[in-house]
Amino acid sequence: MQFGFRAKHSTETANCFLLENVKSKMDKGGVVGAVFLDLRKAFDTVNHEILITKLSKFNFSPDALRWMKSYLEGRTQCVRVSNELSPTLSYDVGVPQGSILGPLLFSLYINDLPSVCTGSEVQMYADDTVIYVHAKSKQQAAQELTTVMVQVTKWLSDSCLHLNVKKTVCMFFTKRATDATEPDVYVSGEKLQVVSDFKYLGIILDSNLSFKKHVKKVIQITKFNLANFRFIRNCLTTEVARLYFKSMILPHLTYCLTSWTQACYTTLKPIQSVYKQALKVRDRKPNSHH
């Protein structure tokens, strides 16, 4: 269930898979409770010994494991500011960021997380992980998530990874009107924040999956870029105007659209309007142009 740093996988496939799963469960009735994990400096806290132990379970040869160990050991780091260079320091944890192997090693490092989440489903995009359950009520979902988080916390501790409890949130997806009081989900005795919306991989998810807040955010960003486009359009050639349109307008309107464009017509109508406005500016047409 790892969607990050894999061929034919992306934030779009991750969002689409999660939302279709959630909607399928909501159609059966009840509530889907989800916990969005936030790991503190996940790539920088990977323990090398634990990583080698986990790699040995993937049937790597002894020579490959020794090569991987030598690749990780003996690394140093420093900071350069202008012409000044800090003293070098060695570090014995973490995977080299910016490298080709770094993301792959991290994916292998957390690959066994779903095995401890019995009774729930897990989806990962690198270190962005969501754990969700289907239950008859919010109270039951909260109890199941609290139970699952006990196992997750133990796994994180054994893997030398640290959960940022303050940024880890819980959300309940439901078709019914939200109750005034939300049940509590606990992690290591600390109560998680229950939210009505959460930004997951660039998409603002809300508890009713109406996507109103996401569309509002997209419109806000697009209108700002569109105002700049209007201001400079007369100074641009047709080719440059098309480039601006494709790089500063279109990406915001099309990002993960397979997930959020199933919203109702009223919600999506402003998207169509701002898109038509952008086309008129690009083609130097008056506002009254159809």
Side-chain angles (χ1 to χ4, degrees):
M1 296 310 299
Q2 175 61 259
F3 285 80
F5 309 112
R6 291 181 64 192
K8 299 181 181 180
H9 291 71
S10 64
T11 55
E12 183 161 13
T13 57
N15 268 307
C16 196
F17 187 88
L18 173 65
L19 289 171
E20 289 304 313
N21 251 353
V22 170
K23 286 189 287 186
S24 175
K25 296 179 187 304
M26 288 170 64
D27 287 341
K28 298 176 183 177
V31 174
V32 176
V35 172
F36 296 88
L37 304 184
D38 185 276
L39 301 181
R40 188 182 292 115
K41 297 183 179 180
F43 279 72
D44 296 329
T45 55
V46 172
N47 184 286
H48 291 172
E49 292 184 8
I50 296 176
L51 174 59
I52 296 299
T53 301
K54 291 188 176 187
L55 290 178
S56 65
K57 298 177 182 179
F58 288 99
N59 293 328
F60 282 104
S61 67
D63 287 340
L65 289 175
R66 283 194 294 269
W67 182 90
M68 201 69 70
K69 191 174 181 180
S70 68
Y71 171 76
L72 295 169
E73 287 179 342
R75 289 188 172 272
T76 59
Q77 61 184 7
C78 62
V79 177
R80 180 189 294 276
V81 179
S82 298
N83 294 325
E84 299 296 325
L85 193 66
S86 73
T88 57
L89 293 174
S90 60
Y91 65 98
D92 54 1
V93 293
V95 292
Q97 294 199 38
S99 63
I100 295 175
L101 279 180
L104 177 60
L105 290 175
F106 181 79
S107 296
L108 294 171
Y109 190 75
I110 65 170
N111 187 64
D112 58 330
L113 172 58
S115 64
V116 302
C117 301
T118 54
S120 65
E121 297 191 48
V122 183
Q123 182 173 314
M124 299 178 287
Y125 189 91
D127 59 330
D128 288 316
T129 304
V130 54
I131 300 171
Y132 55 103
V133 298
H134 182 220
K136 293 182 179 179
S137 64
K138 290 184 180 181
Q139 287 73 20
Q140 183 184 349
Q143 291 174 1
E144 292 182 14
L145 287 172
T146 299
T147 302
V148 170
M149 288 307 297
V150 172
Q151 301 299 322
V152 172
T153 303
K154 184 180 182 302
W155 181 91
L156 291 172
S157 177
D158 293 340
S159 301
C160 295
L161 294 173
H162 307 286
L163 184 68
N164 191 340
V165 179
K166 291 184 179 180
K167 291 186 178 180
T168 297
V169 301
C170 176
M171 184 160 64
F172 297 100
F173 297 96
T174 176
K175 288 184 177 181
R176 300 191 296 266
T178 55
D179 302 327
T181 57
E182 301 283 6
D184 297 325
V185 178
Y186 291 89
V187 175
S188 302
E190 292 189 56
K191 186 167 62 176
L192 293 182
Q193 180 186 4
V194 179
V195 297
S196 58
D197 57 82
F198 180 75
K199 190 174 184 178
Y200 177 68
L201 301 179
I203 300 294
I204 301 176
L205 307 177
D206 58 88
S207 57
N208 297 322
L209 296 182
S210 67
F211 297 104
K212 290 181 180 179
K213 287 195 175 181
H214 179 72
V215 171
K216 185 178 180 180
K217 184 65 176 177
V218 170
I219 292 296
Q220 181 183 354
I221 296 172
T222 308
K223 281 189 173 180
F224 176 80
N225 291 339
L226 183 56
N228 292 330
F229 195 20
R230 275 199 187 94
F231 187 73
I232 64 173
R233 178 61 184 94
N234 290 332
C235 303
L236 305 179
T237 63
T238 302
E239 184 179 352
V240 174
R242 287 176 180 171
L243 181 62
Y244 185 98
F245 176 80
K246 289 181 179 179
S247 60
M248 300 299 290
I249 304 292
L250 212 54
H252 296 293
L253 300 177
T254 58
Y255 177 73
C256 287
L257 56 81
T258 51
S259 299
W260 57 268
T261 49
Q262 295 181 39
C264 67
Y265 174 77
T266 307
T267 302
L268 296 176
K269 191 174 181 180
I271 292 286
Q272 298 176 2
S273 175
V274 76
Y275 175 66
K276 290 178 181 178
Q277 291 176 41
L279 288 177
K280 292 174 187 178
V281 174
R282 185 198 67 179
D283 298 337
R284 287 181 175 176
K285 300 293 184 182
N287 287 334
S288 58
H289 183 75
H290 181 54

